[in-house]
Amino acid sequence: MKKLAKRIMQLAEKYQDYTALNLSKLIKIKSLSQDEGKVNLELKRQMEEAGFDEVRIDGLGNVIGRIGHGKKILAIDGHMDTVDFGRLDNWDFHPLCGEIKEGFVHGRGTVDQEGGPAAFVTSGRILKELGFDKDWTIYFTGTVMEEDCDGLCWKYLYEEEGIHPDMAISTEPTNLNIYRGHRGRMEMKVSFKGISSHGSAPERGKNAIYMASRAALEIEKLNEHLAVDEFLGKGSITISEFKSGSPSLCAVADFASLHLDRRLTWGETKESAVAEIKEIIKDMEAEVEVLHYEETAYTGLRYGMEKYYPTWKIDESEAVVQKGVETYEQLFDKKPMVDKWTFSTNGVTINGYYKVPMIGFGPGNEVLAHAPNEKVPTDHLVKASAFYALFAFLLED
Ligand SMILES: [Zn+2]
């Protein structure tokens, strides 16, 4: 192990209880999407206590902590909102307990994904303690609304705050592997217009449900033929909702709609996905639209984006992946597993829209995300805090 890596690992280990306790404090504050105000005040307090150069909260409610003032920017991101508990009787402990025992921190959000921010607060403390002075600015972002609209927070940071990173690390759970992409996704709605007539004489009308049903069966077939990427897997499409309407239950339905959940693999785009649906409905009285997300942040700001979350993948030979591998090898004396997420992250905007080179490295096992009995090993928190700090030190000026 190189000297600096060793020093950083020692500090990360020394701060193990501090990191676990910081996470426990975050977990005790319930923080559903659009309600991250309290948890973000606590994260801000922790960054200040750790000696960050500047900490503030932006208009959407993201916490932005800064260390350094160099020309290039590294962003280390973790979202602070969590999903709800689900059925409490599926849990062996209370989701807000934040209990630290038997080598784990327990509770909703420990894996997905306040463990990442707790670890990066400690990495900031280590950077300050070791006098980080590279020509880089490190932004640590505790972001909002990710569970409902992944990437929206980074649309705000990039477009409204003007933060344009040269590199980024997502701290979403990777089980301490290095991840370099995931499939994208989008939501579409297909609307069918029929003509109603009395239910006793359906031949006079045009039934929108039959039209939508024919399209639905074609969409089922489409799913079998979507593109496959060796690394990311296959694209997919499914119908998540079927609605219809008619003037009466004794009339031909004059309206129907399908809500489509489309997962996009490499090479599939918004345009290609919309074109496939247009081909299916071309002889029907129907149209397809990409849906829009717009909601009110806890700060009161309304903000939104199209529900198109692009696929992203970084080549293994790119500098950001190589830097991640080098950091890992120096700290842990072995080769990392380089893989991908099954779920979607803020990478959809950070890299998908804005092309910022990015990797993922985070504490916790993603199978516990959104599941009962969520808990993260404190050992993962320690290793992640060492990883973020050494990664910053290994950046080239
Ligand atoms: Zn997440």
Side-chain angles (χ1 to χ4, degrees):
M1 201 190 277
K2 296 244 172 78
K3 212 170 138 202
L4 179 63
K6 198 170 176 184
R7 179 84 185 107
I8 287 176
M9 202 61 217
Q10 280 168 349
L11 285 172
E13 276 160 5
K14 178 177 145 193
Y15 295 136
Q16 169 168 331
D17 293 349
Y18 162 82
T19 312
L21 192 61
N22 272 347
L23 177 56
S24 170
K25 286 176 184 164
L26 297 173
I27 294 309
K28 287 178 175 163
I29 305 168
K30 192 170 182 181
S31 56
L32 301 182
S33 302
Q34 300 171 254
D35 193 16
E36 306 91 341
K38 276 198 196 131
V39 82
N40 273 6
L41 275 182
E42 171 59 19
L43 180 66
K44 179 171 179 276
R45 187 199 66 74
Q46 292 180 9
M47 287 179 177
E48 284 161 351
E49 184 185 68
F52 281 50
D53 293 333
E54 185 197 0
V55 188
R56 63 194 176 84
I57 292 183
D58 72 15
L60 196 69
N62 301 306
V63 183
I64 306 170
R66 178 180 62 78
I67 288 178
H69 44 73
K71 279 195 287 295
K72 289 194 196 155
I73 294 173
L74 168 68
I76 304 179
D77 178 65
H79 68 81
M80 298 301 292
D81 56 321
T82 72
V83 296
D84 214 334
F85 307 150
R87 267 177 44 212
L88 275 177
D89 58 354
N90 280 331
W91 290 74
D92 299 333
F93 46 87
H94 194 278
L96 295 180
C97 71
E99 196 178 356
I100 305 167
K101 71 166 187 197
E102 290 156 2
F104 288 87
V105 184
H106 298 72
R108 171 61 83 222
T110 48
V111 171
D112 188 11
Q113 65 109 125
E114 290 164 3
F120 74 46
V121 167
T122 302
S123 72
R125 179 169 173 172
I126 293 170
L127 288 176
K128 289 304 290 179
E129 193 165 331
L130 296 179
F132 181 77
D133 62 351
K134 315 230 32 156
D135 196 10
W136 283 76
T137 299
I138 320 290
Y139 283 113
F140 300 78
T141 53
T143 43
V144 297
M145 296 160 88
E146 191 275 345
E147 294 292 354
D148 285 348
C149 187
D150 23 321
L152 178 73
C153 52
W154 264 94
K155 180 187 176 198
Y156 190 88
L157 287 165
Y158 198 94
E159 291 179 14
E160 318 300 329
E161 287 291 322
I163 295 178
H164 299 169
D166 296 277
M167 254 184 210
I169 302 174
S170 164
T171 65
E172 288 260 20
T174 68
N175 221 6
L176 301 183
N177 300 309
I178 292 173
Y179 285 0
R180 58 181 181 91
H182 56 67
R183 292 189 303 170
R185 66 183 190 92
M186 62 193 286
E187 287 175 52
M188 291 176 277
K189 185 180 168 186
V190 194
S191 306
F192 299 84
K193 286 185 209 145
I195 298 166
S196 98
S197 66
H198 199 285
S200 62
E203 68 281 2
R204 290 182 205 146
K206 199 168 152 195
N207 196 319
I209 293 178
Y210 295 151
M211 232 189 295
S213 302
R214 267 179 234 116
L217 294 174
E218 288 304 312
I219 289 165
E220 185 185 18
K221 280 188 217 155
L222 172 66
N223 181 55
E224 301 301 312
H225 299 112
L226 292 173
V228 178
D229 179 75
E230 210 178 295
F231 178 61
L232 295 178
K234 183 182 158 298
S236 66
I237 188 165
T238 195
I239 299 170
S240 54
E241 188 178 68
F242 190 133
K243 277 188 183 165
S244 67
S246 73
S248 130
L249 288 178
C250 303
V252 167
D254 61 358
F255 162 80
S257 72
L258 304 174
H259 190 110
L260 305 181
D261 176 324
R262 177 75 161 88
R263 303 289 155 155
L264 303 154
T265 194
W266 194 244
E268 295 183 319
T269 62
K270 178 172 78 175
E271 289 70 26
S272 69
V274 167
E276 291 156 1
I277 302 303
K278 279 192 170 157
E279 178 60 27
I280 288 173
I281 60 172
K282 67 176 188 271
D283 297 322
M284 302 177 185
E285 214 28 64
E287 55 189 42
V288 55
E289 63 182 309
V290 180
L291 294 169
H292 201 85
Y293 176 92
E294 187 174 301
E295 287 298 337
T296 307
Y298 76 83
T299 56
L301 182 76
R302 272 191 86 75
Y303 202 63
M305 66 184 263
E306 198 172 36
K307 288 184 162 185
Y308 169 52
Y309 310 89
T311 312
W312 68 279
K313 165 170 97 164
I314 307 276
D315 200 84
E316 221 164 335
S317 64
E318 275 198 46
V320 67
V321 181
Q322 292 301 315
K323 192 61 67 187
V325 169
E326 184 189 347
T327 304
Y328 189 99
E329 288 176 350
Q330 284 201 23
L331 283 171
F332 312 125
D333 271 329
K334 56 178 180 184
K335 290 207 178 308
M337 176 153 102
V338 179
D339 205 352
K340 62 176 186 300
W341 280 289
T342 306
F343 55 63
S344 182
T345 71
N346 284 332
V348 295
T349 48
I350 298 173
N351 184 264
Y353 276 73
Y354 304 123
K355 308 298 171 204
V356 175
M358 169 173 153
I359 54 167
F361 185 88
N365 191 329
E366 73 172 56
V367 301
L368 286 175
H370 300 196
N373 299 322
E374 188 175 345
K375 59 180 184 175
V376 70
T378 47
D379 167 62
H380 279 209
L381 301 172
V382 169
K383 286 176 172 156
S385 64
F387 183 94
Y388 308 136
L390 184 62
F391 188 98
F393 267 111
L394 293 180
L395 291 166
E396 271 114 58
D397 275 341

